[in-house]
């Protein structure tokens, strides 16, 4: 469709942390740094790992816990080094079909929520069943990139 796409993602490992009781913006900041330290060597092998995209944030309706995640690079999918920070963990996300809406610019929590609302309205109008109680934000750019930024919101298809 012109305003969203349906993607199939395969099972994959992500390194994640949950930040509780903060604003989404602050959770993203804290979570990013915890995960950045992991890829910089704060793991059982003291291994540096390349930064990957997207950086995702799980947003649940009415909840102030946010799960921030980095995709584990393909070369480490089979055996990612274990985190040494007890707040950081490796998770395996099962294969899934996702409805995705893309947008540009610098994405704030408010902008992500706006885009998620727009995607949810479109999906409801088209009779597409999806899990409405949560969505993911996905950021693809360094904070230093100014132009042609790429952001997404994801809803899981039912």
């Amino acid at each position: 469709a012109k305003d969203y796409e349906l993607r199939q993602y395969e099972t994959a490992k992500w390194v994640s942390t949950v930040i509780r009781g903060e604003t989404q913006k602050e959770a993203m900041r804290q979570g990013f740094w915890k995960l950045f330290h992991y890829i910089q060597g704060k793991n059982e092998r003291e291994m540096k790992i390349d930064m990957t995209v997207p950086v995702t944030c799980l947003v649940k309706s009415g909840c102030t816990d946010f799960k921030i995640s980095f995709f584990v690079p393909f070369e480490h999918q089979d055996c990612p080094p274990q985190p040494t920070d007890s707040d950081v963990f490796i998770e395996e996300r099962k294969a899934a079909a996702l409805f995705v809406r893309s947008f540009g610019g610098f994405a704030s929590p408010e902008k992500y929520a706006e885009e998620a609302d727009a995607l949810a309205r479109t999906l409801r109008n088209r009779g597409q069943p999806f899990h409405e109680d949560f969505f993911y934000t996905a950021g693809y750019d360094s904070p230093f990139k100014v132009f042609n930024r790429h952001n997404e919101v994801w809803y899981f298809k039912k």
Side-chain angles (χ1 to χ4, degrees), residues 11-108:
T11 298
K13 292 190 177 88
W14 295 70
V15 59
S16 302
T17 189
V18 176
I19 306 296
R20 293 181 169 83
E22 297 287 351
T23 64
Q24 185 178 346
K25 185 174 185 171
E26 180 58 18
M28 283 293 294
R29 189 189 69 74
Q30 287 182 26
F32 177 89
W33 286 109
K34 281 185 174 288
L35 299 174
F36 186 76
H37 292 308
Y38 167 82
I39 67 171
Q40 287 298 298
K42 194 172 181 185
N43 57 63
E44 67 182 8
R45 289 187 235 150
E46 297 180 355
M47 176 189 287
K48 282 195 172 202
I49 299 168
D50 289 337
M51 176 79 198
T52 61
V53 291
V55 176
T56 65
C57 178
L58 173 61
V59 180
K60 296 182 202 165
S61 301
C63 183
T64 57
D65 293 357
F66 299 96
K67 182 169 63 174
I68 318 305
S69 305
F70 287 3
F71 180 77
V72 172
F74 292 110
E75 62 267 24
H76 300 293
Q77 279 287 316
D78 289 340
C79 192
Q82 288 303 305
T84 53
D85 179 337
S86 60
D87 293 337
V88 177
F89 56 95
I90 303 294
E91 66 169 326
E92 184 172 89
R93 294 188 193 166
K94 299 295 179 211
L98 304 180
F99 292 109
V100 177
R101 180 179 171 94
S102 299
F103 61 99
F106 281 90
S108 63

Side-chain angles (χ1 to χ4, degrees), residues 88-132:
V88 177
F89 56 95
I90 303 294
E91 66 169 326
E92 184 172 89
R93 294 188 193 166
K94 299 295 179 211
L98 304 180
F99 292 109
V100 177
R101 180 179 171 94
S102 299
F103 61 99
F106 281 90
S108 63
E110 297 75 20
K111 180 66 174 164
Y112 277 124
E114 231 175 78
E115 296 292 336
D117 287 345
L119 176 55
R121 270 194 314 276
T122 299
L123 294 173
R124 281 188 215 103
N125 289 342
R126 300 209 176 131
Q128 293 283 6
F130 66 101
H131 293 276
E132 298 191 36

